[in-house]
Amino acid sequence: GQVAHFGNVTVDSVTQEPDPSPQLWWNTYTNSSTVDDSSPNNLYGTLNNVTDTDGAFTFNGTSSYIQLATTGATDTNVQLATWDISCEFYKTGSGTTSDYIDRVATVLVTKGINAGDGGGYDINYGLVIDSNNKLCTGFEESGSGQIIIASTTTISNDQWYTARTTFDGTILNLYLDDTLEATTTPTISPASSDLSPFMVGAGRYDTSYTPVAYFQGRIKNVKVYDDIFVAAPQPSLTAATPGTLAFHH
């Protein structure tokens, strides 16, 4: 860090950490067929009946979804053993629910959907809204084990939220608007090598299956990291010598 003096204010050791590159970043709507990836990996998405509302991807709740535009809608960059995944969403209706682990839900972001255990297409990770309007996150192992946790906050229609799930290999966390809503320590490992499709607004077992769990509303700023991304903290204000303020990172 560096020390800077501005009159009677001293800024001491403020370090700007570089932002890590996401594995995938689908930010805003640009055209009716594809979504550009703002990450270095060029993982474009294919839009299916998705429209634009002020730059947000808009889903009709019955047939709209975005799918990774690769063979099988998967890629090693989004097959994750650890993660930090987030999106902004604005729910406008109930959508079309389907089974998601042990919940009935609609999908915000997912890699996989329920369709039996094993077989190489289990749920690697996801963010969903269940039938009780709770935000949920969870995963399956490459077998019969599964885990899911839910928010205490109830999601309301016609309101923007930020959803986030993190998993560091030990602790699974769920956040809503930067508030920790639920946490657990799973005894299983996620199906990070499975080939389930990466999708937004719906999910499916593989690309030969019809999508299910359609979300109704708007989604934007979908980010996928392969590790927990913690933004550089703001400097804290502490007392120094009389008449001087020091900021310490």
Side-chain angles (χ1 to χ4, degrees):
Q2 296 180 337
V3 179
H5 302 277
F6 302 94
N8 65 345
V9 176
T10 300
V11 178
D12 179 18
S13 190
V14 176
T15 303
Q16 179 65 46
E17 301 293 341
D19 290 347
S21 295
Q23 300 299 99
L24 176 147
W25 183 4
W26 291 348
N27 193 1
T28 56
Y29 184 102
T30 55
N31 66 75
S32 61
S33 59
T34 60
V35 52
D36 295 333
D37 181 17
S38 297
S39 86
N41 295 319
N42 296 318
L43 294 176
Y44 299 100
T46 300
L47 276 64
N48 296 268
N49 297 321
V50 176
T51 57
D52 173 33
T53 304
D54 299 326
F57 306 108
T58 304
F59 302 81
N60 62 23
T62 58
S63 63
S64 302
Y65 62 93
I66 308 174
Q67 181 172 278
L68 190 62
T70 59
T71 302
T74 190
D75 186 89
T76 55
N77 285 294
V78 292
Q79 294 174 263
L80 304 179
T82 59
W83 59 76
D84 190 333
I85 299 165
S86 61
C87 70
E88 298 172 54
F89 70 94
Y90 183 98
K91 182 174 173 286
T92 58
S94 299
T96 306
T97 59
S98 185
D99 292 340
Y100 194 92
I101 305 182
D102 68 350
R103 302 295 173 108
V104 175
T106 61
V107 165
L108 296 173
V109 181
T110 194
K111 192 170 188 301
I113 201 75
N114 286 23
D117 296 323
Y121 292 92
D122 294 285
I123 296 171
N124 188 173
Y125 49 77
L127 284 163
V128 302
I129 300 173
D130 73 11
S131 56
N132 294 315
N133 287 315
K134 304 296 186 181
L135 180 68
C136 302
T137 190
F139 62 83
E140 297 177 322
E141 65 176 358
S142 296
S144 59
Q146 56 190 27
I147 186 76
I148 192 165
I149 54 179
S151 66
T152 57
T153 300
T154 301
I155 302 300
S156 298
N157 284 357
D158 304 321
Q159 179 177 334
W160 278 106
Y161 297 93
T162 299
R164 181 185 180 198
T165 174
T166 66
F167 182 61
D168 63 1
T170 302
I171 300 172
L172 178 67
N173 289 326
L174 176 66
Y175 298 87
L176 185 66
D177 292 337
D178 295 325
T179 297
L180 181 63
E181 291 274 331
T183 186
T184 191
T185 304
T187 58
I188 59 172
S189 298
S192 57
S193 61
D194 281 16
L195 300 176
S196 47
F198 181 88
M199 298 177 66
V200 172
R204 57 176 158 183
Y205 181 62
D206 69 29
T207 53
S208 69
Y209 281 62
T210 300
V212 295
Y214 291 103
F215 172 75
Q216 185 175 353
R218 307 168 198 164
I219 299 174
K220 62 181 179 179
N221 203 24
V222 178
K223 285 187 177 182
V224 176
Y225 292 90
D226 63 356
D227 203 349
I228 294 181
F229 167 53
V230 180
Q234 296 298 312
S236 59
L237 185 63
T238 59
T241 57
T244 302
L245 300 177
F247 294 86
H248 298 281
H249 174 73

